Every structure is written in C-alpha cells, then in structure tokens.
Amino acid sequence: DLARVEVLRGPQNILYGKSSIAGALNLISARPGEELEALLSVSHEPEYNTNVYDAVLSGPITDTLGARLATRVKTDDGYIENLTLDKDEPSRREETIRLVLDWAITPDLSAIFKAEQSNFNVKGRQIEIINDKKSVSTTPFFTGRTYAEILDNTQVGPGGAVLNIDADSSVLNNFQDYKRSANKDFSENEVGAYIGTFEWGLGEHILTATTAFLTYTFDEICDCDFTGAEVFQVKLEEEYSQFSQEIRWVSPAGENWEFIGGGYFQTSELEFFDSILVTGDILPDLLNLADTASAGGSGDTTGTPGDAGDSIRGLGTPRDFTTDADLYTIFLQGTWNINEVLRLTLGGRIQHEEKEGERRLDFIDLATGQRKSDGPGPEGEVDSVVAKNFKAERHYEQGERSETKFSPLVTLQWDATEDMMVYMTLTQGSKSGGFDARSNASPAANKIRDAQNGGNGPILIGTFEFEEEKSTSFELGTKMSLFDGAADLNVAFFLTNYSDLQVSVFDGTLGFNVGNAGEATTMGIEIDGRWAMTDYLTMSYALALLDFEFDEFTDGQCYQDRVNAGKGLSSNAPPPDRTENGVPYCDYKGDTNQYAADYSGNLTFAYNRDFGGSFEFRANLDFVFTGDYNPTQNLDPTQEQDGYVKTNARLAIANLDQGWEVALVGKNLTDEATISYANDTPLANSVFGSVNHYGFIDRPRTIGLQLGWRFQ
C-alpha cells in the first residue's frame, strides 16, 4: 500500500544518512484521503499454492483526522522439493498490518502517525547443492569421492574398520533441479515500526520533526551443512532496537536561495547469539576415520589416532555478540538559483558516531550445558579438533570506536532548453566501521593456536573490528522530455571510487569474516525513460552498462580449486597468489565483484484500452535481463551465472464503474533457472577435500489469478 517508490542513485549521505553510500530506496506509505476508500485483493498461484490477501480501509474520521488501515496475509507452500522430509519448501506465512493517522491539528500544524507490525515465519529454505564433483581428497581415506558419496556410502577404514553412515540417500541429489536434501530449518521473525512526524508551517518555511522507533527479532534453526545427513545445525537468535529523532527545516521554493537543513540523532542496540550444534554421530565418526587414516592429523593432540571425532560429540559453540551505537548528525543542503536556467547546489553532512562491541565464543557439552574442559583426556582435544576442522576457537573480544566524518556535495544544473536539463554532481559518502558478529576466531587466533601447539597449530583466520568505507562519486547526466512531452529520457554517466571497501568473506569452513578490501572503482552508463507510443500503449525501459574493478584487494578468499592447487593436489586452477602462515590468499586486483554484470535492464510495455462502455482491458509485458555475473564471494568461475531474460506478463479486465478487476499474472514465463547466491558447502572441502557448492535458487515459472475490488 505505497504512494510511490523513489530510486535515488549514487551517494545520498547529505539528506539520507550514513547508510546510503551508493544510493537509497525511499518507500512512501499511502496516506488517508478525504473520501472513504476500500480495497480488497486476492491472488492465487496454484502450482506452489501461493495466496496473497490484501485489504485497505481509508477515509476521514472527523473533519481534521483521517485514518488508513492496510493489512496483508501471504501463504506459500514453497517451490523446492525436500527429498529428505518429503515436503515442499520454503513454506512461508506473512502477516502485516499498518495504521496511518493524518491529523490536521491547526491550519499550520499537522501530524502523521504510523504504526506497522509484521510477522513472517518460514520453514525450510530455497537452498540446494548445485555442484558436487569428483576431486582428490585432502585425506587418503576419502580420495576420489564426492561429498555425497562420503555421507552416503558405508565406509571401510584402515585395518578393516567398518562404519555405516546413517544418512538419507537423498544426499546423492547433488545438482540443481529444484530438489534439496536437508533436515529441519525454520525462521521466525517479528518487525515493528512506530513513527510520528509533526510538520509546522512557519510562514512559507516548514519545520518537520520525526520521531521513530524500530525493532526486530528473529529465531532460527539452520541445517547449515545443507545436506540430509545430520552433520551439524546452527541456532541463531537476534534482537535489534533503534530510536531516532530528526528535525528538518525547509525554506520556500522559488527564492534565490533554497535550503534544507537540520539535525539527526540515532541510538541502536543489537544482541546476536548463535551456536553450532553437533547432535548426531555422522561427523564425529567420519572424523575418527579420517584421524585414523591420517595418523592423528585431524586435530588429535593425544597422539592416539582414531578418536579425534569423539571430542566433538554433543558439541555446542555458543557465541554472544552485542553492539551499541550512538549517532549525532547535522546537515545542510542549499541551492543557489543563479539565473532562470542555472542552479548550484552545495551540501554537507557532519556525523559523529560512537560504538561499543563485545563478542564471546565458548565450547560446551549440549547434554550438560557445561563448558568443555581444556584439560587432559578426550575432552582436552576439543580445542584442537574444533580449530582444525571448524576453524574456530574460544575467545573474548571487546572494543570501542569513535569516528567523525564530513560528507560534501556539489551539483550544477543547467536548463539547456525547455525540454532538456544537464547536470554534474561530485559527492562523497561513507559507511561507518564497526564490529564483526560472525567471525569464529580472534584476530590473534593464528598466533594463539601456534603457541598452544608448539608452533604447529591449525591455521585460523579471525576478525573483530573493521574500518569505515568511503566513496567519491562523479556523475554527469541529462534529463530530457521528447516528442512534445510524450517521452522522457534520462542518461547518466557515473564514476565512483571506493576506499576501505567493506566485505564479508566466507572463511571456507563455517564462519564469515568482515574486513576492508582496499580500493575499487566502478563506472558505467545508465539510461531510462518512458514513451507514450500511442493513446493506449506506453513503453518504459532501463539499461545499465557497468564496469567494476578492484584496485586493491590482496587478501581475497581463494575458491576451492585454487586452495587445492595450493596444496599440491590435482586442479586445473592456478595456485593462490601467496600463502602466509599456511593461509592461502588470492589477489583480486583487476577482477570484478560479486553480482557485477556488464549490462542489465528491463523493457516494459503497458496497454490500456476502454471497451463496452465501462470496461477496460489492461495488458503488461516486461522483460528483465542481465549479462553474466558471479553469485559467489570468492568469484569461483565454476559457479558463473549465465545471462538471462525473464519474461513477466499481466492480462486484466476491469469494470471502472463497479471497481472490480480480474487479472492473469505470469512470472518468469520462459522458466529461467537462476541462482541468486552461491558458496562453498561447509566442511566439504575444508575437512573432506571434496569440491562442493550450494546455491539459493530463484522461483521458477508461476501463473496465478488475481481478483480485486476497489470502492472510492
């Protein structure tokens, strides 16, 4: 129930704050009008039993008070078949309700109050193993087997030891086909937003005060080995709250000088918890076999091969992370109307932010809840085994940071003709630094493990604090009206340089490390517009040509084949660019980034025509297209997503007098199979030496029916 959506490109730090370093989406909720209005809409997609129910009731309560109530309920059975559980996933239920009150308190004072509550619960995920190929294992015992074969087959170890792996045979489905092998996943989420805005008219000036409180919580269980074998799970909980206050002064338009200025304060608190859960015997038993085959090389510190896995039976790795932040900002943006055709805009934002962060990770016995011992005996091996196989360690980190940043803006606009405006913008933006919640080790982890193990400890990579990201952007463009106003055309060239680019990199095992990549440059051309081709047919279009290049990124994560090549194993990939303390690093200088396609865009045709007096035929056809892109963080070339064109269509008949509409809606009509994100399957290569990937799979073709009724 939106009034409009504003797409703002390039850094928007002056008016929209620290997080808008590359652009912003401004979603404007619909407000109550002066007349009674009601809307009901129901849509049904039969293939995956997706149902959406929308309702809106809006209008005046008194002469000075209006209200608008909007609600949505959505249910979805899911489009991925879970072979292990014999059900479709991810099944989803969403419930959202929003109340907007518009109160004209006096002729010069008005207020808008908005309260919104959303709940969405999901069972399962749209994740499947998309690539599991034969590779030479890092341990002699598993040589030549895929990860699926390791999990499914009866294993015969050295000396004739037999181990029956009790995994569902669905793990052998290891290619992309909208089928997955997984155990129980769920995600339960609640989101709340409460906003009050007062607007005073002070002569021709406007003073606006906005107070907002936002909160969300979620509780999840992730079957994060992404297979139907009970290897491990991850429990996650998160709670966030944010309070903000903005005061904004806007001068009247049409004067020689126009300005928007004000101040902003925000305070926020985040609490995050997660834990790896080793509840089954598959992983401990496999590690025992691997430990036997490698003569104690799986982290066994006792010198007795074959018992490394025993130390992690019933293992939990509880991690608690908190961060608090306070932000203080003042901003001013002014426009000088030099003459009737030339305008100069200058802007600046000064922000000061203070943050505190704390992270603690430990190892416990799930059965007793007690801390796993560091002492001698089988429990004493837990630190070494977890470090070797999970790349994790017990640690405690805390920190404080304070940063002050000034973001400037200069824009020059020239009305070259009555139908063409040309502009040039130079601006800087920033995204604040902070503390990493998801790293499994401390920054000093490698030295600590070496000291504990006589210089031969497992290699760990840990992070905690990362620095702010900065961008400098130049844009040159034009906005034109063509064919006597029948068409609009916008063209923009942009060049942006990023320094200390923030990246989140999978550590190749189970964790994610947030850090700063160095520098990158992105440039391109964006074209968009609309054309009323006839009285009934309108075309809209957008095209983006993009070039992204890392100028400095020496510590990039290597994809699996390069890691294996660095170990002297069979691989057609080049070895890592360097190895430091046993850790392979790949230099991404000159490479593009995740998701960076050379081109992307859309083309839409809309046809509306009256017939039969009060009826209208409505047809929309749109094509969404992109070039090749890589959905992985480590730019694994085997996971490249080919370019595609997705076709969507909507055919509708409406009765303008009675307010009803019936529509047939088709999405992805050519049934393109696309992957929105891919990564290394946890433990597959790092522990068992098998190259394996999982992916998030986009929805296939759907065709549904939509019924709507509007009273106004």
Side-chain angles (χ1 to χ4, degrees), residues 103-131:
W103 183 20
I105 304 172
T106 72
D108 297 321
L109 176 62
S110 63
I112 297 288
F113 301 101
K114 181 169 72 171
E116 180 174 313
Q117 184 71 33
S118 298
N119 301 287
F120 57 98
N121 300 324
V122 184
K123 295 181 180 179
R125 294 190 172 202
Q126 69 277 27
I127 298 175
E128 59 174 303
I129 301 297
I130 56 177
N131 172 257

PDB file of all heavy atoms in Angstrom, residues 103-131:
ATOM      1  N   TRP A 103      -3.483  13.925  10.963  1.00  0.00           N
ATOM      2  CA  TRP A 103      -4.227  14.826  11.843  1.00  0.00           C
ATOM      3  C   TRP A 103      -3.841  16.271  11.540  1.00  0.00           C
ATOM      4  O   TRP A 103      -2.675  16.665  11.706  1.00  0.00           O
ATOM      5  CB  TRP A 103      -3.903  14.479  13.301  1.00  0.00           C
ATOM      6  CG  TRP A 103      -4.655  15.289  14.322  1.00  0.00           C
ATOM      7  CD1 TRP A 103      -5.809  15.997  14.150  1.00  0.00           C
ATOM      8  CD2 TRP A 103      -4.273  15.465  15.683  1.00  0.00           C
ATOM      9  NE1 TRP A 103      -6.192  16.593  15.312  1.00  0.00           N
ATOM     10  CE2 TRP A 103      -5.272  16.289  16.284  1.00  0.00           C
ATOM     11  CE3 TRP A 103      -3.226  15.005  16.464  1.00  0.00           C
ATOM     12  CZ2 TRP A 103      -5.212  16.667  17.618  1.00  0.00           C
ATOM     13  CZ3 TRP A 103      -3.167  15.367  17.788  1.00  0.00           C
ATOM     14  CH2 TRP A 103      -4.158  16.186  18.366  1.00  0.00           C
ATOM     15  N   ALA A 104      -4.809  17.047  11.091  1.00  0.00           N
ATOM     16  CA  ALA A 104      -4.612  18.483  10.886  1.00  0.00           C
ATOM     17  C   ALA A 104      -4.949  19.188  12.192  1.00  0.00           C
ATOM     18  O   ALA A 104      -6.102  19.556  12.455  1.00  0.00           O
ATOM     19  CB  ALA A 104      -5.485  18.988   9.748  1.00  0.00           C
ATOM     20  N   ILE A 105      -3.957  19.384  13.035  1.00  0.00           N
ATOM     21  CA  ILE A 105      -4.181  19.905  14.383  1.00  0.00           C
ATOM     22  C   ILE A 105      -4.647  21.354  14.323  1.00  0.00           C
ATOM     23  O   ILE A 105      -5.620  21.748  14.980  1.00  0.00           O
ATOM     24  CB  ILE A 105      -2.891  19.773  15.212  1.00  0.00           C
ATOM     25  CG1 ILE A 105      -2.426  18.310  15.226  1.00  0.00           C
ATOM     26  CG2 ILE A 105      -3.096  20.287  16.635  1.00  0.00           C
ATOM     27  CD1 ILE A 105      -1.068  18.108  15.855  1.00  0.00           C
ATOM     28  N   THR A 106      -3.957  22.178  13.546  1.00  0.00           N
ATOM     29  CA  THR A 106      -4.333  23.566  13.281  1.00  0.00           C
ATOM     30  C   THR A 106      -4.057  23.819  11.803  1.00  0.00           C
ATOM     31  O   THR A 106      -3.462  22.968  11.123  1.00  0.00           O
ATOM     32  CB  THR A 106      -3.506  24.549  14.141  1.00  0.00           C
ATOM     33  OG1 THR A 106      -2.166  24.587  13.648  1.00  0.00           O
ATOM     34  CG2 THR A 106      -3.511  24.147  15.611  1.00  0.00           C
ATOM     35  N   PRO A 107      -4.449  24.975  11.282  1.00  0.00           N
ATOM     36  CA  PRO A 107      -4.123  25.258   9.882  1.00  0.00           C
ATOM     37  C   PRO A 107      -2.624  25.229   9.583  1.00  0.00           C
ATOM     38  O   PRO A 107      -2.230  24.987   8.438  1.00  0.00           O
ATOM     39  CB  PRO A 107      -4.711  26.662   9.670  1.00  0.00           C
ATOM     40  CG  PRO A 107      -5.847  26.739  10.635  1.00  0.00           C
ATOM     41  CD  PRO A 107      -5.377  25.992  11.846  1.00  0.00           C
ATOM     42  N   ASP A 108      -1.777  25.449  10.599  1.00  0.00           N
ATOM     43  CA  ASP A 108      -0.330  25.490  10.371  1.00  0.00           C
ATOM     44  C   ASP A 108       0.417  24.303  10.975  1.00  0.00           C
ATOM     45  O   ASP A 108       1.642  24.235  10.868  1.00  0.00           O
ATOM     46  CB  ASP A 108       0.254  26.781  10.960  1.00  0.00           C
ATOM     47  CG  ASP A 108      -0.296  28.017  10.281  1.00  0.00           C
ATOM     48  OD1 ASP A 108      -0.478  27.986   9.047  1.00  0.00           O
ATOM     49  OD2 ASP A 108      -0.564  29.012  10.999  1.00  0.00           O
ATOM     50  N   LEU A 109      -0.311  23.390  11.621  1.00  0.00           N
ATOM     51  CA  LEU A 109       0.342  22.270  12.293  1.00  0.00           C
ATOM     52  C   LEU A 109      -0.389  20.975  11.958  1.00  0.00           C
ATOM     53  O   LEU A 109      -1.603  20.876  12.133  1.00  0.00           O
ATOM     54  CB  LEU A 109       0.347  22.489  13.811  1.00  0.00           C
ATOM     55  CG  LEU A 109       0.921  21.354  14.672  1.00  0.00           C
ATOM     56  CD1 LEU A 109       2.383  21.118  14.350  1.00  0.00           C
ATOM     57  CD2 LEU A 109       0.728  21.667  16.166  1.00  0.00           C
ATOM     58  N   SER A 110       0.362  19.996  11.467  1.00  0.00           N
ATOM     59  CA  SER A 110      -0.214  18.691  11.143  1.00  0.00           C
ATOM     60  C   SER A 110       0.697  17.593  11.670  1.00  0.00           C
ATOM     61  O   SER A 110       1.876  17.825  11.964  1.00  0.00           O
ATOM     62  CB  SER A 110      -0.396  18.533   9.629  1.00  0.00           C
ATOM     63  OG  SER A 110       0.859  18.571   8.963  1.00  0.00           O
ATOM     64  N   ALA A 111       0.133  16.410  11.783  1.00  0.00           N
ATOM     65  CA  ALA A 111       0.894  15.273  12.305  1.00  0.00           C
ATOM     66  C   ALA A 111       0.503  14.008  11.559  1.00  0.00           C
ATOM     67  O   ALA A 111      -0.658  13.815  11.185  1.00  0.00           O
ATOM     68  CB  ALA A 111       0.649  15.097  13.802  1.00  0.00           C
ATOM     69  N   ILE A 112       1.498  13.170  11.331  1.00  0.00           N
ATOM     70  CA  ILE A 112       1.303  11.841  10.745  1.00  0.00           C
ATOM     71  C   ILE A 112       1.842  10.818  11.733  1.00  0.00           C
ATOM     72  O   ILE A 112       2.998  10.908  12.163  1.00  0.00           O
ATOM     73  CB  ILE A 112       2.036  11.694   9.402  1.00  0.00           C
ATOM     74  CG1 ILE A 112       1.489  12.667   8.362  1.00  0.00           C
ATOM     75  CG2 ILE A 112       1.922  10.253   8.892  1.00  0.00           C
ATOM     76  CD1 ILE A 112       0.131  12.306   7.845  1.00  0.00           C
ATOM     77  N   PHE A 113       1.005   9.847  12.105  1.00  0.00           N
ATOM     78  CA  PHE A 113       1.441   8.755  12.967  1.00  0.00           C
ATOM     79  C   PHE A 113       1.324   7.441  12.183  1.00  0.00           C
ATOM     80  O   PHE A 113       0.298   7.191  11.545  1.00  0.00           O
ATOM     81  CB  PHE A 113       0.589   8.675  14.234  1.00  0.00           C
ATOM     82  CG  PHE A 113       0.611   9.931  15.058  1.00  0.00           C
ATOM     83  CD1 PHE A 113      -0.441  10.830  15.004  1.00  0.00           C
ATOM     84  CD2 PHE A 113       1.687  10.211  15.883  1.00  0.00           C
ATOM     85  CE1 PHE A 113      -0.438  11.983  15.752  1.00  0.00           C
ATOM     86  CE2 PHE A 113       1.704  11.375  16.647  1.00  0.00           C
ATOM     87  CZ  PHE A 113       0.647  12.264  16.582  1.00  0.00           C
ATOM     88  N   LYS A 114       2.358   6.652  12.249  1.00  0.00           N
ATOM     89  CA  LYS A 114       2.339   5.368  11.543  1.00  0.00           C
ATOM     90  C   LYS A 114       2.822   4.272  12.472  1.00  0.00           C
ATOM     91  O   LYS A 114       3.865   4.402  13.119  1.00  0.00           O
ATOM     92  CB  LYS A 114       3.215   5.406  10.292  1.00  0.00           C
ATOM     93  CG  LYS A 114       3.213   4.095   9.515  1.00  0.00           C
ATOM     94  CD  LYS A 114       3.877   4.230   8.140  1.00  0.00           C
ATOM     95  CE  LYS A 114       5.371   4.387   8.234  1.00  0.00           C
ATOM     96  NZ  LYS A 114       6.004   4.300   6.894  1.00  0.00           N
ATOM     97  N   ALA A 115       2.049   3.191  12.543  1.00  0.00           N
ATOM     98  CA  ALA A 115       2.437   2.008  13.317  1.00  0.00           C
ATOM     99  C   ALA A 115       2.321   0.793  12.405  1.00  0.00           C
ATOM    100  O   ALA A 115       1.298   0.606  11.740  1.00  0.00           O
ATOM    101  CB  ALA A 115       1.543   1.842  14.543  1.00  0.00           C
ATOM    102  N   GLU A 116       3.359  -0.003  12.380  1.00  0.00           N
ATOM    103  CA  GLU A 116       3.372  -1.175  11.490  1.00  0.00           C
ATOM    104  C   GLU A 116       3.967  -2.362  12.234  1.00  0.00           C
ATOM    105  O   GLU A 116       4.986  -2.229  12.915  1.00  0.00           O
ATOM    106  CB  GLU A 116       4.185  -0.866  10.228  1.00  0.00           C
ATOM    107  CG  GLU A 116       4.249  -2.030   9.246  1.00  0.00           C
ATOM    108  CD  GLU A 116       4.946  -1.635   7.943  1.00  0.00           C
ATOM    109  OE1 GLU A 116       4.609  -0.562   7.393  1.00  0.00           O
ATOM    110  OE2 GLU A 116       5.824  -2.374   7.484  1.00  0.00           O
ATOM    111  N   GLN A 117       3.310  -3.501  12.095  1.00  0.00           N
ATOM    112  CA  GLN A 117       3.784  -4.729  12.713  1.00  0.00           C
ATOM    113  C   GLN A 117       3.754  -5.839  11.678  1.00  0.00           C
ATOM    114  O   GLN A 117       2.750  -6.024  10.986  1.00  0.00           O
ATOM    115  CB  GLN A 117       2.907  -5.107  13.910  1.00  0.00           C
ATOM    116  CG  GLN A 117       3.380  -6.330  14.680  1.00  0.00           C
ATOM    117  CD  GLN A 117       4.647  -6.073  15.485  1.00  0.00           C
ATOM    118  OE1 GLN A 117       4.865  -4.971  15.980  1.00  0.00           O
ATOM    119  NE2 GLN A 117       5.496  -7.083  15.600  1.00  0.00           N
ATOM    120  N   SER A 118       4.873  -6.568  11.564  1.00  0.00           N
ATOM    121  CA  SER A 118       4.960  -7.663  10.601  1.00  0.00           C
ATOM    122  C   SER A 118       5.484  -8.914  11.289  1.00  0.00           C
ATOM    123  O   SER A 118       6.369  -8.837  12.151  1.00  0.00           O
ATOM    124  CB  SER A 118       5.901  -7.306   9.439  1.00  0.00           C
ATOM    125  OG  SER A 118       5.426  -6.185   8.732  1.00  0.00           O
ATOM    126  N   ASN A 119       4.934 -10.041  10.905  1.00  0.00           N
ATOM    127  CA  ASN A 119       5.424 -11.342  11.346  1.00  0.00           C
ATOM    128  C   ASN A 119       5.562 -12.220  10.119  1.00  0.00           C
ATOM    129  O   ASN A 119       4.636 -12.298   9.303  1.00  0.00           O
ATOM    130  CB  ASN A 119       4.445 -12.000  12.330  1.00  0.00           C
ATOM    131  CG  ASN A 119       4.212 -11.148  13.566  1.00  0.00           C
ATOM    132  OD1 ASN A 119       5.069 -11.036  14.425  1.00  0.00           O
ATOM    133  ND2 ASN A 119       3.044 -10.547  13.647  1.00  0.00           N
ATOM    134  N   PHE A 120       6.697 -12.859   9.962  1.00  0.00           N
ATOM    135  CA  PHE A 120       6.826 -13.826   8.873  1.00  0.00           C
ATOM    136  C   PHE A 120       7.637 -15.026   9.357  1.00  0.00           C
ATOM    137  O   PHE A 120       8.705 -14.885   9.947  1.00  0.00           O
ATOM    138  CB  PHE A 120       7.431 -13.196   7.609  1.00  0.00           C
ATOM    139  CG  PHE A 120       8.767 -12.547   7.775  1.00  0.00           C
ATOM    140  CD1 PHE A 120       9.938 -13.217   7.440  1.00  0.00           C
ATOM    141  CD2 PHE A 120       8.863 -11.242   8.239  1.00  0.00           C
ATOM    142  CE1 PHE A 120      11.168 -12.596   7.568  1.00  0.00           C
ATOM    143  CE2 PHE A 120      10.092 -10.610   8.367  1.00  0.00           C
ATOM    144  CZ  PHE A 120      11.248 -11.291   8.033  1.00  0.00           C
ATOM    145  N   ASN A 121       7.041 -16.175   9.136  1.00  0.00           N
ATOM    146  CA  ASN A 121       7.625 -17.439   9.572  1.00  0.00           C
ATOM    147  C   ASN A 121       7.873 -18.323   8.358  1.00  0.00           C
ATOM    148  O   ASN A 121       7.013 -18.458   7.490  1.00  0.00           O
ATOM    149  CB  ASN A 121       6.701 -18.151  10.557  1.00  0.00           C
ATOM    150  CG  ASN A 121       6.453 -17.307  11.808  1.00  0.00           C
ATOM    151  OD1 ASN A 121       7.344 -16.613  12.278  1.00  0.00           O
ATOM    152  ND2 ASN A 121       5.239 -17.352  12.322  1.00  0.00           N
ATOM    153  N   VAL A 122       9.044 -18.922   8.315  1.00  0.00           N
ATOM    154  CA  VAL A 122       9.462 -19.721   7.167  1.00  0.00           C
ATOM    155  C   VAL A 122       9.946 -21.076   7.666  1.00  0.00           C
ATOM    156  O   VAL A 122      10.700 -21.157   8.635  1.00  0.00           O
ATOM    157  CB  VAL A 122      10.588 -19.015   6.381  1.00  0.00           C
ATOM    158  CG1 VAL A 122      10.938 -19.808   5.132  1.00  0.00           C
ATOM    159  CG2 VAL A 122      10.196 -17.591   6.024  1.00  0.00           C
ATOM    160  N   LYS A 123       9.521 -22.128   6.988  1.00  0.00           N
ATOM    161  CA  LYS A 123      10.017 -23.472   7.265  1.00  0.00           C
ATOM    162  C   LYS A 123      10.721 -23.978   6.014  1.00  0.00           C
ATOM    163  O   LYS A 123      10.125 -24.053   4.942  1.00  0.00           O
ATOM    164  CB  LYS A 123       8.864 -24.407   7.640  1.00  0.00           C
ATOM    165  CG  LYS A 123       8.176 -24.025   8.951  1.00  0.00           C
ATOM    166  CD  LYS A 123       7.059 -25.000   9.291  1.00  0.00           C
ATOM    167  CE  LYS A 123       6.382 -24.609  10.601  1.00  0.00           C
ATOM    168  NZ  LYS A 123       5.273 -25.535  10.948  1.00  0.00           N
ATOM    169  N   GLY A 124      12.006 -24.330   6.177  1.00  0.00           N
ATOM    170  CA  GLY A 124      12.803 -24.758   5.027  1.00  0.00           C
ATOM    171  C   GLY A 124      13.470 -23.571   4.361  1.00  0.00           C
ATOM    172  O   GLY A 124      13.276 -22.414   4.737  1.00  0.00           O
ATOM    173  N   ARG A 125      14.265 -23.891   3.333  1.00  0.00           N
ATOM    174  CA  ARG A 125      14.981 -22.849   2.609  1.00  0.00           C
ATOM    175  C   ARG A 125      15.001 -23.178   1.127  1.00  0.00           C
ATOM    176  O   ARG A 125      14.819 -24.337   0.736  1.00  0.00           O
ATOM    177  CB  ARG A 125      16.419 -22.719   3.115  1.00  0.00           C
ATOM    178  CG  ARG A 125      16.522 -22.236   4.550  1.00  0.00           C
ATOM    179  CD  ARG A 125      17.955 -21.895   4.901  1.00  0.00           C
ATOM    180  NE  ARG A 125      18.039 -21.253   6.207  1.00  0.00           N
ATOM    181  CZ  ARG A 125      19.051 -20.491   6.583  1.00  0.00           C
ATOM    182  NH1 ARG A 125      20.061 -20.274   5.778  1.00  0.00           N
ATOM    183  NH2 ARG A 125      19.055 -19.935   7.780  1.00  0.00           N
ATOM    184  N   GLN A 126      15.260 -22.133   0.302  1.00  0.00           N
ATOM    185  CA  GLN A 126      15.363 -22.341  -1.140  1.00  0.00           C
ATOM    186  C   GLN A 126      16.819 -22.621  -1.517  1.00  0.00           C
ATOM    187  O   GLN A 126      17.370 -22.063  -2.450  1.00  0.00           O
ATOM    188  CB  GLN A 126      14.804 -21.127  -1.900  1.00  0.00           C
ATOM    189  CG  GLN A 126      15.602 -19.848  -1.805  1.00  0.00           C
ATOM    190  CD  GLN A 126      15.312 -19.045  -0.556  1.00  0.00           C
ATOM    191  OE1 GLN A 126      14.919 -19.575   0.481  1.00  0.00           O
ATOM    192  NE2 GLN A 126      15.515 -17.741  -0.642  1.00  0.00           N
ATOM    193  N   ILE A 127      17.436 -23.548  -0.776  1.00  0.00           N
ATOM    194  CA  ILE A 127      18.857 -23.867  -0.939  1.00  0.00           C
ATOM    195  C   ILE A 127      19.004 -25.320  -1.353  1.00  0.00           C
ATOM    196  O   ILE A 127      18.346 -26.207  -0.793  1.00  0.00           O
ATOM    197  CB  ILE A 127      19.619 -23.628   0.381  1.00  0.00           C
ATOM    198  CG1 ILE A 127      19.531 -22.160   0.791  1.00  0.00           C
ATOM    199  CG2 ILE A 127      21.072 -24.058   0.255  1.00  0.00           C
ATOM    200  CD1 ILE A 127      20.158 -21.865   2.136  1.00  0.00           C
ATOM    201  N   GLU A 128      19.872 -25.575  -2.308  1.00  0.00           N
ATOM    202  CA  GLU A 128      20.198 -26.954  -2.660  1.00  0.00           C
ATOM    203  C   GLU A 128      21.655 -27.044  -3.088  1.00  0.00           C
ATOM    204  O   GLU A 128      22.278 -26.037  -3.450  1.00  0.00           O
ATOM    205  CB  GLU A 128      19.285 -27.466  -3.778  1.00  0.00           C
ATOM    206  CG  GLU A 128      19.334 -26.675  -5.061  1.00  0.00           C
ATOM    207  CD  GLU A 128      18.520 -27.337  -6.167  1.00  0.00           C
ATOM    208  OE1 GLU A 128      18.810 -28.505  -6.479  1.00  0.00           O
ATOM    209  OE2 GLU A 128      17.616 -26.687  -6.717  1.00  0.00           O
ATOM    210  N   ILE A 129      22.191 -28.262  -3.018  1.00  0.00           N
ATOM    211  CA  ILE A 129      23.538 -28.500  -3.533  1.00  0.00           C
ATOM    212  C   ILE A 129      23.468 -28.414  -5.059  1.00  0.00           C
ATOM    213  O   ILE A 129      22.668 -29.103  -5.698  1.00  0.00           O
ATOM    214  CB  ILE A 129      24.070 -29.873  -3.097  1.00  0.00           C
ATOM    215  CG1 ILE A 129      24.102 -29.967  -1.558  1.00  0.00           C
ATOM    216  CG2 ILE A 129      25.454 -30.126  -3.681  1.00  0.00           C
ATOM    217  CD1 ILE A 129      25.019 -28.980  -0.885  1.00  0.00           C
ATOM    218  N   ILE A 130      24.298 -27.566  -5.642  1.00  0.00           N
ATOM    219  CA  ILE A 130      24.225 -27.341  -7.084  1.00  0.00           C
ATOM    220  C   ILE A 130      25.427 -27.886  -7.830  1.00  0.00           C
ATOM    221  O   ILE A 130      25.423 -27.942  -9.057  1.00  0.00           O
ATOM    222  CB  ILE A 130      24.073 -25.842  -7.391  1.00  0.00           C
ATOM    223  CG1 ILE A 130      25.221 -25.048  -6.754  1.00  0.00           C
ATOM    224  CG2 ILE A 130      22.723 -25.321  -6.886  1.00  0.00           C
ATOM    225  CD1 ILE A 130      25.182 -23.562  -7.079  1.00  0.00           C
ATOM    226  N   ASN A 131      26.457 -28.276  -7.096  1.00  0.00           N
ATOM    227  CA  ASN A 131      27.656 -28.779  -7.765  1.00  0.00           C
ATOM    228  C   ASN A 131      28.464 -29.604  -6.777  1.00  0.00           C
ATOM    229  O   ASN A 131      28.913 -29.095  -5.763  1.00  0.00           O
ATOM    230  CB  ASN A 131      28.489 -27.604  -8.298  1.00  0.00           C
ATOM    231  CG  ASN A 131      29.844 -28.049  -8.827  1.00  0.00           C
ATOM    232  OD1 ASN A 131      30.854 -27.866  -8.162  1.00  0.00           O
ATOM    233  ND2 ASN A 131      29.857 -28.621 -10.001  1.00  0.00           N
TER     234      ASN A 131
END
